[in-house]
Amino acid sequence: MPDWSDWTSEKVDTVGFAHPTSWSPEADRSEEGTSVLLQSDAVSFGLVGIYPPEYSPEELTEQVLESVREEHPGLEVEELASNERKYKEGSAFEGLFMTLDTVAYCWVRSWRLRTRTVVVYVQSIQAESADGEEVFDKICQSVKQGGGEEAGES
């Protein structure tokens, strides 16, 4: 189980977010935006994508889900109610799929800040799913842009 007191912050393209210190970040910049891969010290991993504001949160979420479906055609997806995740806008989904002989879970959420569109994705195997979901929630809640705009605030 991660030590929730041991988190660190990243700032990429005016957007700041926190992640467990034990999850190693690796940024990949392109013309479309910046993706930060977060690899845990176990099997779980995450991704924080930061894009220009003209990118649609709904389309980014669907692109992520389609990428997962390409690898795992049996992906089952359920939309998360905004009040269930305490977020005011954007789109959020939880997925479930089999990989080899293991059940895996994923969570994805995308929303627009003032000058960026953000997508957060976390994937965990069943044995790590409670921690993975909590990391997903905490990363989403920690996202801020420049002047302190927090996750889901307009």
Side-chain angles (χ1 to χ4, degrees), residues 1-129:
M1 173 167 286
D3 178 359
W4 300 117
S5 65
D6 195 16
W7 281 60
T8 189
S9 296
E10 302 287 330
K11 187 161 186 177
V12 179
D13 296 340
T14 75
V15 175
F17 62 93
H19 63 84
T21 303
S22 61
W23 287 44
S24 304
E26 184 178 319
D28 180 29
R29 299 182 195 294
S30 71
E31 289 182 18
E32 290 82 29
T34 301
S35 297
V36 180
L37 175 64
L38 300 167
Q39 181 61 58
S40 76
D41 54 0
V43 179
S44 298
F45 68 91
L47 178 78
V48 177
I50 301 156
Y51 300 92
E54 57 269 13
Y55 280 69
S56 160
E58 292 76 15
E59 288 177 14
L60 283 173
T61 301
E62 191 53 42
Q63 286 176 11
V64 170
L65 292 173
E66 283 304 314
S67 291
V68 176
R69 271 192 197 98
E70 286 176 17
E71 291 285 322
H72 308 285
L75 174 67
E76 297 175 23
V77 176
E78 181 178 318
E79 186 168 12
L80 297 171
S82 60
N83 62 353
E84 184 178 335
R85 287 276 178 235
K86 303 177 189 123
Y87 302 128
K88 299 175 187 171
E89 60 184 54
S91 61
F93 294 87
E94 178 178 49
L96 170 72
F97 58 90
M98 290 291 295
T99 179
L100 300 175
D101 60 349
T102 303
V103 174
Y105 292 86
C106 64
W107 302 269
V108 62
R109 178 171 184 251
S110 184
W111 69 101
R112 196 171 276 126
L113 297 174
R114 279 190 315 266
T115 64
R116 295 287 185 266
T117 301
V118 177
V119 62
V120 175
Y121 176 83
V122 172
Q123 181 175 313
S124 296
I125 59 171
Q126 188 170 19
E128 300 174 8
S129 64

Side-chain angles (χ1 to χ4, degrees), residues 11 14-17 113 140-146 148-151:
K11 187 161 186 177
T14 75
V15 175
F17 62 93
L113 297 174
C140 287
Q141 291 169 15
S142 75
V143 171
K144 296 181 180 159
Q145 185 169 15
E149 178 181 348
E150 296 195 23

